[in-house]
Amino acid sequence: ELKVEQNPLFLSMQEGKNYTIYCNYSTTSDRLYWYRQDPGKSLESLFVLLSNGAVKQEGRLMASLDTKARLSTLHITAAVHDLSATYFCAVDVSWDSNYQLIWGAGTKLIIKP
Amino acid sequence: KAGVTQTPRYLIKTRGQQVTLSCSPISGHRSVSWYQQTPGQGLQFLFEYFSETQRNKGNFPGRFSGRQFSNSRSEMNVSTLELGDSALYLCASTGPEGTDTQYFGPGTRLTVL
């Protein structure tokens, strides 16, 4: 079964702290996406990770991909309130001449001042 | 560049009715994907259109259909609505940048009574 599992699903943290969100997936894929969704809003692309060992950083967010372990991490450094949102990872998979993104359940991140 | 637009933003329908949702992709983008987002099932892929042809399809019943026009605008139709069809329907367009990043519209919130 194709699965993308995120953990934790809910995270409440203080400003200034560091934390990591994990994204495990069950099938071979060389392409992983991270998106952010604010309450009542649409999805905003954060990172596209295209190969094993890929690391991308934007501000206080850093994402990495280990295709052998089928694991991606989204690391938050010195969190600020504006980063409060739900974060999704999605994996590009193909089968039976079909392909699609399989999404994790999302990690709801609340950062308290 | 204007982003992905979706109309209408909100819809209320009753069981048994049908509904058509519209999506206009970013100018120059030829691929449009549709997703259903619910609290219980998360984000689920419906289908993707490219150059007026359905290129990929998720695991939804035949009541869900779509089409794409020559200007890349896409419509999604749901017939014989059920209560469980209440959801946020998101469309995303993909451009030729090579990373296949999907840019999402604001979504259409469908409520079925």
Side-chain angles (χ1 to χ4, degrees), chain B residues 4 9 14 17 28 32 41 46 48-49 58-59 67 69 76 88 101 106 110 112:
Chain B
V4 178
R9 293 293 311 280
T14 55
Q17 287 187 308
V32 173
Q41 299 297 318
L46 282 153
E48 182 213 4
Y49 285 85
N59 298 322
R67 59 177 176 166
F69 302 94
M76 189 192 94
L88 180 67
T101 297
L110 172 64
V112 182

Side-chain angles (χ1 to χ4, degrees), chain B residues 15-78:
Chain B
R15 276 183 299 175
Q17 287 187 308
Q18 77 163 21
V19 67
T20 299
L21 313 181
S22 181
C23 171
S24 292
I26 292 171
S27 177
H29 287 193
R30 292 163 63 192
S31 167
V32 173
S33 298
W34 287 90
Y35 293 88
Q36 182 194 67
Q37 186 177 29
T38 60
Q41 299 297 318
L43 273 153
Q44 293 185 284
F45 172 75
L46 282 153
F47 29 66
E48 182 213 4
Y49 285 85
F50 181 84
S51 293
E52 302 180 64
T53 301
Q54 188 180 85
R55 188 160 70 170
N56 290 285
K57 190 176 185 307
N59 298 322
F60 277 79
R63 299 185 297 109
F64 292 82
S65 63
R67 59 177 176 166
Q68 187 179 35
F69 302 94
S70 58
N71 61 357
S72 294
R73 189 178 71 84
S74 177
E75 286 183 348
M76 189 192 94
N77 184 275
V78 188

Side-chain angles (χ1 to χ4, degrees), chain A residues 31 35 37 42 48 98-99, chain B residues 37 55-57 100 102 105:
Chain A
R31 195 169 297 196
Y35 282 85
Q37 187 175 36
S42 190
V48 181
N98 212 354
Y99 75 87
Chain B
Q37 186 177 29
R55 188 160 70 170
N56 290 285
K57 190 176 185 307
D100 294 331
Q102 295 192 350

Side-chain angles (χ1 to χ4, degrees), chain A residues 23-39:
Chain A
C23 175
N24 287 91
Y25 52 99
S26 63
T27 189
T28 303
S29 176
D30 290 327
R31 195 169 297 196
L32 189 137
Y33 304 80
W34 283 98
Y35 282 85
R36 167 185 173 145
Q37 187 175 36
D38 291 296

